[in-house]
Amino acid sequence: MNGMNGSYEVKNGEQISHRKRSLAVTEFIQGLLTKNDDETHVVFCQLDTLTKKDEEVIWRESARWVKYEEDVEENGKRWSKPHVASVTLHNVLELRTQMFGGALVLDADVTNIPQLADLIIEELSKNKTITENTKSLIRSSLLARHVHPHLKRRRISTADSGGNIITQCSMPKTSSAADFAKMKARQHAEGRGETNGHLPESSPLIKLNKPFMKKIPEGAQVANVWVGEIEDLKEPITAFIRLDKPRAIGDLTEVPLPTRFIFLHLSPVGEPGHIFAIGRAMSNMMVDVIFSEVAYKAKSREDIMHGFDEFLDQTTVLPPGQWDPEIRLEPPTKVPSQEGRRRFESIAEEEHSDPTLVRTGRLFGGLIEDIKRKVPFYISDFKDGFHIQCLGAVLFMYLATLTPNITFGALLGQSTQHYMGTMECIVAVAFVNLVFALFGGQPLIIMGSTGPVLVLEIILYTMCRDSDWDFLPFRCLVGLWSALFLLIIVAFDLSALVRYITRFTEESFACLIAIIFIVESFKKIFSIADTHPFNTHPEIPLDYTCFCVPSNQSSVYNMTTVPLTTYAFNSTTDTITNWTNVQRKDCARLGGVLEGSGCDTTVYHDNVFFLSFIIGVGTFGVAWALVNMKKSTFFPTVVRQTIGDFAVFISICSMVLLDVLLGVPTPKLMVPNTIQPSRPDRPWFISPYSAHNPWWVWIATALPALVAVILIFMDQQITAVIINRKENKLKKGCGYHLDLTITTFCLVVCSFFGLPWYVAATVRSMAHVNSLKMESECTAPGEKPVFLGCREQRLTPLIIAILNGCSVFMTSILQLVPMPVLYGVFLYMGVSALRGMQFMDRMMIMLMPAKYQPDHMYLRHVRIKRVHLFTFFQILCLGILWAIKAIKTISIVFPVMVLGTCFVRKGMERIFSKNELKWLDELMPEDKMMKQEDEGELIVDDDDMDDVDNDEDDDGPIEFLQLKKYRKIGSVEHMPWNLKQDSKTKYRKGPDDESIV
């Protein structure tokens, strides 16, 4: 079959279009790959060129491929930066022509280089492509030694070795891949290190590049590509050899891997660089995942040629004059999967609903299923936590949970007359997170305080104070009723209603909480100026003349204050006799009055506020820069990963050290140092019965309990939905029912002990997940890290809970931490939570001209005006939620309004079409959808197919697309021609009865 001569070819007297031939090739390759079970491996390709050095002919390594091309530069002294190899179509077509007429041997039984040379010469002789005069010349070229850039510069001449080195080396008889591995292990155990074949380690010919092995995937095999020019040749000669077994042969390869493929191309002396281009073309094909698999499974020359044709069908041609071929293309961040080339399968669209959020129809059925789902992973949940990344997450999240907890405790104590305060909050956060880490369905969730919970606590206390009831027993009854309602929700699998929470609601809620963190961080930093004001008019002299005198003494202006801390008392009357020693802050307490012209002058602390601002913003800036260092080009991968994992901790330590060195009295973190209730007259255990509360309170508390249930359910489950997003690639399953059950248990315990009610904290949970994200190690040079998922384990939340409980014993250390540093951590958590939100991307797009807008999936399929309208509705909902949460008197209804966004999203179906909402509010990870579309695998329902003639036959090469129900969508530049078809296109019959667009 010769399909490269034009759009048509003749077969059995009939013209066959290139489109039909391409379809046949695609189907042939798919059948070859799916029906043949021969084992395949990753291919490492090495390109050697025939070179003459000091009258000696050698094979010098010129380029190599693990995945991307690396060329030898600076006269063999260094390797180039990995780049995407670009070859001309002319070179690929010439290579195809050479392969069609060259020597081809599949499953050759060759054990050494001399045998290989004899086999190649024999096959070339059969094809009558060489003469008797050139046989010896070709043989001597094949037996030349191979030189690799990693070897030390050491000249080894034939005179030193007594002739050709290769021919005098003892070659292995037979070494399979398994034998080769056993041989290396045995020799390593004997203390001789790795070897190449049976050659000794000390030989410079086989000093292997061991460090580079770390970049090559395990189990890889080698394709050796040899190209060169010989003066006496009349025509180019080509040979392709596949060994029956992978073998380590001589010094062919720089790494200790067995060889499986050998490609030889020799040509007469001609245009410089031409043979190198042919070698690059072949090397690129050998590292292509589909062609390399064809090379492994091919049974004949026809199979190899079909592999060439399939490769050409997938090739993208860049027009000349629109790009510079000399520019090396950077490896892409994302590489599309090649599964669409291997087989065609219609991938059904994933639904929004989580399969774990389906009602079972039996009592506690969902809870039982969650337990069954999580039990198999329980032991691994602890083993997976033994990683250095988890240590960085613990150090970061400990302070990130302790500080808001202390702040919440201070506010709660002020609002409830210290019935619950900082100590109760410390005990609660330690207990709840400890239980949740051990038994929760999603242990990555961090439990903590939230604003609506604080408002609810204040409302309950105010109600009890106005009615002269005991607050803690009343609150205990509310907690017990709430636990009963939550238990009913678990029993009837009502958590399945969470499936109606779409991205619209998730991102509105998460974005609001993140913005609150950002705003509150700056408010806290600027509030330092209230307690430590700075002087805006330093040029004006300040008068601080002020002294303390008895309240019954007239003003005496000639007295001056003395900065002493002791006072002189009359031993008989216990009255102060030396008022000049009294400090200003103690004057009123001791019964004196302040007099002087400077008593009302503000005491300024300029350095305190400005240093607080610097270390607060500096904490965020350093943490953000170090986290982004993972994607930088500085330092080795291990160093970048470690710095990124400990970014926040390094930032905190550096700013604390700066504060200590400067010695400025910035506000510090204050933690209680004794374990006792905040109010001395309250016990630890709270009884729901109280003589001060009427009997009907036991029933009436069910009403505020309903509000508490809505609050707890929405906060808990929306956070769980955000954490369990498909984008996070969690593999151990969800546990919505189990999470709510554990929350109910903690609610009961906290009610009986007078502890605050804690629910899932959205931003802290998102920060915890972000700190545990894993990326692939870059095996191939130039390959970008790929997000693999999160390190799902229970150890980090468990240790965080324990450290929070032990904080009362670490006050001497914690009091060194300035509060502005922790405000900077909150700022980092808020900003990092916004990263990756589609809502934020759409808001940025509203400010971008069309030509600068990124290539997002929803922009491909939804008009930009409709995208902006959808974003406007989401901004409107966000503004309403912000207003409700900001107004304290109505903030208790905030969870109900969050629930209302679900109904808003439902009502938007009257404004937007189903297809528009599918793209704008889809939960499938966008990079996966993009990849499916670019590969031609994504098929979606078409809502606008009325204009398609349902009676039209689905003939031609696209009959499997089922145009009556589906249409193919997406960019077509990377699809095979038979997939590049829009279902709405009308077809007409061409002169050859082919369907032509």
Side-chain angles (χ1 to χ4, degrees), residues 59-84:
W59 291 101
R60 183 181 297 278
E61 184 177 0
S62 302
R64 66 187 181 191
W65 285 256
V66 178
K67 187 172 185 179
Y68 300 104
E69 180 179 357
E70 297 176 86
D71 298 326
V72 178
E73 295 177 335
E74 294 186 6
N75 198 21
K77 295 181 181 179
R78 57 161 283 179
W79 286 100
S80 71
K81 184 179 179 180
H83 56 278
V84 179

Side-chain angles (χ1 to χ4, degrees), residues 364 367 447 456 478-496 702 704-717 736-749 751 757-760:
F364 297 100
L367 176 61
M447 309 291 281
L456 178 62
V478 174
L480 294 179
W481 274 110
S482 301
L484 176 62
F485 294 149
L486 290 174
L487 196 62
I488 293 174
I489 291 176
V490 174
F492 291 96
D493 297 343
L494 297 183
S495 291
L706 288 174
V707 178
V709 165
I710 296 175
L711 186 153
I712 294 172
F713 181 84
M714 293 301 295
D715 270 357
Q716 181 70 39
Q717 300 296 51
Y736 294 96
H737 311 281
L738 180 57
D739 286 343
L740 200 58
T741 303
I742 300 301
T743 303
T744 303
F745 170 77
C746 294
L747 178 65
V748 173
V749 175
S751 298
W757 298 328
Y758 277 5
V759 294

Side-chain angles (χ1 to χ4, degrees), residues 378 381-382 431-441 443 738 742 794 797-798:
Y378 195 74
D381 283 343
F382 292 95
F431 166 73
V432 174
N433 280 288
L434 182 69
V435 174
F436 209 86
L438 291 174
F439 307 108
L738 180 57
I742 300 301
R794 299 178 183 269
L798 181 64

Side-chain angles (χ1 to χ4, degrees), residues 750-909:
C750 291
S751 298
F752 276 116
F753 284 89
L755 303 177
W757 298 328
Y758 277 5
V759 294
T762 305
V763 172
R764 275 160 275 179
S765 300
M766 294 172 66
H768 188 214
V769 170
N770 290 335
S771 66
L772 294 172
K773 286 186 174 181
M774 301 181 297
E775 292 182 339
S776 62
E777 297 181 0
C778 297
T779 52
E783 186 177 9
K784 298 294 189 296
V786 178
F787 173 60
L788 300 178
C790 298
R791 204 172 298 278
E792 301 176 66
Q793 37 75 46
R794 299 178 183 269
L795 209 55
T796 55
L798 181 64
I799 297 176
I800 292 169
I802 295 174
L803 289 177
N804 272 275
C806 296
S807 297
V808 293
F809 307 112
M810 298 186 292
T811 54
S812 59
I813 299 176
L814 294 175
Q815 67 184 3
L816 297 176
V817 181
M819 290 300 296
V821 170
L822 301 177
Y823 300 152
V825 174
F826 296 158
L827 178 61
Y828 167 80
M829 292 168 60
V831 174
S832 62
L834 295 177
R835 176 185 286 183
M837 286 190 184
Q838 186 197 94
F839 180 33
M840 296 303 299
D841 293 339
R842 284 188 272 107
M843 284 198 293
M844 295 298 104
I845 289 174
M846 295 178 74
L847 306 177
M848 295 181 185
K851 61 181 179 180
Y852 296 120
Q853 293 173 358
D855 182 24
H856 291 309
M857 284 289 292
Y858 50 86
L859 294 182
R860 293 184 180 185
H861 305 285
V862 182
R863 288 182 298 162
I864 191 64
K865 291 184 179 180
R866 305 290 287 175
V867 174
H868 293 339
L869 180 61
F870 185 87
T871 307
F872 171 77
F873 280 114
Q874 200 163 5
I875 293 175
L876 185 62
C877 290
L878 178 64
I880 295 174
L881 292 176
W882 176 276
I884 292 174
K885 193 172 182 64
I887 303 174
K888 298 299 182 182
T889 55
I890 61 173
S891 59
I892 189 64
V893 301
F894 172 75
V896 179
M897 296 307 297
V898 173
L899 179 62
T901 59
C902 298
F903 296 97
V904 173
R905 165 62 177 81
K906 182 66 176 177
M908 291 172 66
E909 294 181 359

